[in-house]
Amino acid sequence: MFDQQKGLLPAFEEIIPRVDNRFYVRHLYNNFRKKFLGLELKKRIWRCAKGIPPRFWSRFRFTFHSKCDTLVNNMSESFNTVIVEEREKPIITMLEDIRVYLMIRWVANRDRIHTYQENIMPLIRKKLKKRASLARDWRPYWLADSKYEVMCGLDKFVVDLAAAECSCRKWQMSGIPCPHAISCISFKGLDLESYVDDCYKKDAYLKCYQEVIHPVNGPDLWERTQYDDVMPPPYRRPSHRHVKKRKRGPADKENRS
């Protein structure tokens, strides 16, 4: 998920062709309204969005292998906030600072997970608890094998525990059982954590951080090559003050401490 980086699309197709690309239409509109204001133009850009294949912007057409149902790029923006000072440095200094930051963060995460006693990661456990509280409103009816019909008033969904599927698609998309599936799991007295996707468990976290970012010597000990040194581009003084913080959009919530 990215913003105004046109070169990433062809790069993804060439290097990692199976990666999911998604467009946050509201984010696109926030960029559009910097130059084009008015309610009529807002309606038109939302109509234009329907010309983009739905698999890029609509949850009902998202694929299931990424186990991610989000449309925002908050992770990228959080990382950009961390390196906001480094981004103004020369290219080699910037990359070295980023490498050191990642090296320290990986060590901290690796040490922290060894003291964690649970199997499901904390944020996922919190989401699971919230969905479990919503499952109380749904009544499961066993049909055959592992299939259930779940009802709440006039709303109905079909759940297949063996296939880890629900007709609401939230379970397949996120890898976390939805309230409809949780009602069936509780009805049968099964272990809820065993139905959470393995990518949210401690073993996956350990595997993610098992590699080591190795230390690097200073520039004086770097190997000299036959190529010319990479020089920075000519400096151009901006016509306006450099913006370091992201501008809040109309959908962002006010968060004050």
Short mmCIF file of all heavy atoms in Angstrom, two decimals, residues 9 63 123-124 131 134 144 158 188 207 209-210 215 222 237 256-257:
data_model
loop_
_atom_site.label_atom_id
_atom_site.label_comp_id
_atom_site.label_asym_id
_atom_site.label_seq_id
_atom_site.Cartn_x
_atom_site.Cartn_y
_atom_site.Cartn_z
N LEU A 9 4.30 0.04 -8.90
CA LEU A 9 3.44 -0.96 -9.55
C LEU A 9 4.21 -1.84 -10.54
O LEU A 9 4.16 -3.06 -10.44
CB LEU A 9 2.25 -0.28 -10.22
CG LEU A 9 1.13 0.18 -9.29
CD1 LEU A 9 0.04 0.91 -10.08
CD2 LEU A 9 0.53 -1.00 -8.56
N THR A 63 -8.19 -11.06 -2.37
CA THR A 63 -7.76 -12.46 -2.27
C THR A 63 -7.52 -12.82 -0.80
O THR A 63 -7.45 -11.94 0.07
CB THR A 63 -6.46 -12.68 -3.07
OG1 THR A 63 -5.44 -11.81 -2.56
CG2 THR A 63 -6.69 -12.37 -4.54
N LEU A 123 -1.96 -8.27 20.09
CA LEU A 123 -2.97 -7.51 19.35
C LEU A 123 -4.03 -8.42 18.74
O LEU A 123 -5.21 -8.08 18.69
CB LEU A 123 -2.30 -6.67 18.27
CG LEU A 123 -1.45 -5.49 18.76
CD1 LEU A 123 -0.84 -4.74 17.57
CD2 LEU A 123 -2.27 -4.53 19.61
N ILE A 124 -3.60 -9.57 18.27
CA ILE A 124 -4.55 -10.53 17.69
C ILE A 124 -5.44 -11.11 18.78
O ILE A 124 -6.64 -11.33 18.59
CB ILE A 124 -3.79 -11.65 16.95
CG1 ILE A 124 -2.85 -11.05 15.91
CG2 ILE A 124 -4.78 -12.61 16.31
CD1 ILE A 124 -3.54 -10.15 14.90
N ARG A 131 -14.15 -10.04 19.05
CA ARG A 131 -15.05 -10.81 18.19
C ARG A 131 -15.81 -11.86 19.00
O ARG A 131 -16.96 -12.17 18.67
CB ARG A 131 -14.26 -11.47 17.06
CG ARG A 131 -13.66 -10.47 16.08
CD ARG A 131 -13.07 -11.15 14.86
NE ARG A 131 -12.51 -10.18 13.93
CZ ARG A 131 -12.06 -10.47 12.71
NH1 ARG A 131 -12.08 -11.73 12.29
NH2 ARG A 131 -11.58 -9.54 11.92
N LEU A 134 -18.86 -10.39 20.45
CA LEU A 134 -19.92 -10.20 19.46
C LEU A 134 -20.61 -11.51 19.09
O LEU A 134 -21.73 -11.50 18.57
CB LEU A 134 -19.36 -9.54 18.20
CG LEU A 134 -18.76 -8.14 18.38
CD1 LEU A 134 -18.14 -7.67 17.06
CD2 LEU A 134 -19.83 -7.14 18.83
N ALA A 144 -24.41 -30.55 8.93
CA ALA A 144 -23.77 -31.84 8.69
C ALA A 144 -22.27 -31.63 8.66
O ALA A 144 -21.79 -30.55 8.30
CB ALA A 144 -24.24 -32.44 7.36
N VAL A 158 -23.27 -18.88 6.51
CA VAL A 158 -22.89 -20.29 6.48
C VAL A 158 -21.43 -20.40 6.90
O VAL A 158 -20.56 -19.71 6.35
CB VAL A 158 -23.10 -20.89 5.08
CG1 VAL A 158 -22.61 -22.35 5.06
CG2 VAL A 158 -24.57 -20.81 4.69
N LYS A 188 -19.47 -26.09 19.91
CA LYS A 188 -18.89 -27.43 19.92
C LYS A 188 -17.87 -27.61 21.05
O LYS A 188 -17.37 -28.71 21.24
CB LYS A 188 -18.22 -27.71 18.58
CG LYS A 188 -19.19 -27.81 17.42
CD LYS A 188 -20.07 -29.04 17.52
CE LYS A 188 -19.30 -30.31 17.29
NZ LYS A 188 -20.14 -31.52 17.30
N LYS A 207 10.14 -16.93 13.73
CA LYS A 207 10.72 -17.17 12.41
C LYS A 207 10.98 -15.86 11.68
O LYS A 207 11.96 -15.73 10.93
CB LYS A 207 9.77 -18.05 11.60
CG LYS A 207 10.33 -18.48 10.26
CD LYS A 207 9.37 -19.42 9.54
CE LYS A 207 9.94 -19.86 8.20
NZ LYS A 207 9.00 -20.78 7.48
N TYR A 209 11.92 -13.00 12.96
CA TYR A 209 13.07 -12.28 13.50
C TYR A 209 14.26 -13.18 13.81
O TYR A 209 15.17 -12.77 14.52
CB TYR A 209 12.67 -11.53 14.77
CG TYR A 209 11.75 -10.37 14.50
CD1 TYR A 209 10.38 -10.48 14.74
CD2 TYR A 209 12.24 -9.16 14.02
CE1 TYR A 209 9.53 -9.42 14.48
CE2 TYR A 209 11.40 -8.10 13.77
CZ TYR A 209 10.04 -8.23 14.00
OH TYR A 209 9.19 -7.17 13.74
N GLN A 210 14.27 -14.39 13.26
CA GLN A 210 15.36 -15.30 13.56
C GLN A 210 16.66 -14.91 12.84
O GLN A 210 17.75 -15.23 13.30
CB GLN A 210 14.97 -16.73 13.18
CG GLN A 210 14.85 -16.97 11.68
CD GLN A 210 14.47 -18.39 11.35
OE1 GLN A 210 14.35 -19.23 12.25
NE2 GLN A 210 14.26 -18.67 10.08
N PRO A 215 26.68 -6.69 11.71
CA PRO A 215 27.36 -5.38 11.82
C PRO A 215 28.22 -5.10 10.59
O PRO A 215 28.64 -6.02 9.89
CB PRO A 215 28.21 -5.54 13.09
CG PRO A 215 28.41 -7.00 13.23
CD PRO A 215 27.16 -7.65 12.71
N TRP A 222 35.78 -0.10 3.94
CA TRP A 222 35.00 -0.64 2.83
C TRP A 222 35.91 -0.97 1.65
O TRP A 222 36.92 -0.30 1.40
CB TRP A 222 33.93 0.37 2.40
CG TRP A 222 32.83 0.52 3.40
CD1 TRP A 222 32.65 -0.17 4.55
CD2 TRP A 222 31.75 1.46 3.33
NE1 TRP A 222 31.54 0.26 5.21
CE2 TRP A 222 30.96 1.26 4.48
CE3 TRP A 222 31.37 2.43 2.42
CZ2 TRP A 222 29.81 2.00 4.74
CZ3 TRP A 222 30.23 3.18 2.66
CH2 TRP A 222 29.45 2.96 3.81
N ARG A 237 16.89 24.35 -3.45
CA ARG A 237 16.21 24.91 -2.30
C ARG A 237 14.71 24.94 -2.56
O ARG A 237 14.26 25.52 -3.54
CB ARG A 237 16.72 26.32 -2.00
CG ARG A 237 16.16 26.89 -0.69
CD ARG A 237 16.72 28.29 -0.44
NE ARG A 237 16.25 28.82 0.83
CZ ARG A 237 16.81 28.59 1.99
NH1 ARG A 237 17.90 27.81 2.05
NH2 ARG A 237 16.34 29.10 3.11
N ARG A 256 -5.40 13.30 21.06
CA ARG A 256 -4.60 14.17 21.91
C ARG A 256 -4.34 13.48 23.23
O ARG A 256 -5.22 12.86 23.80
CB ARG A 256 -5.33 15.51 22.16
CG ARG A 256 -5.53 16.34 20.88
CD ARG A 256 -6.23 17.63 21.22
NE ARG A 256 -6.41 18.47 20.04
CZ ARG A 256 -7.02 19.65 20.06
NH1 ARG A 256 -7.53 20.12 21.20
NH2 ARG A 256 -7.15 20.36 18.96
N SER A 257 -3.14 13.64 23.73
CA SER A 257 -2.80 13.07 25.03
C SER A 257 -3.11 14.08 26.12
O SER A 257 -3.13 15.28 25.89
CB SER A 257 -1.32 12.70 25.05
OG SER A 257 -0.52 13.84 24.83
#
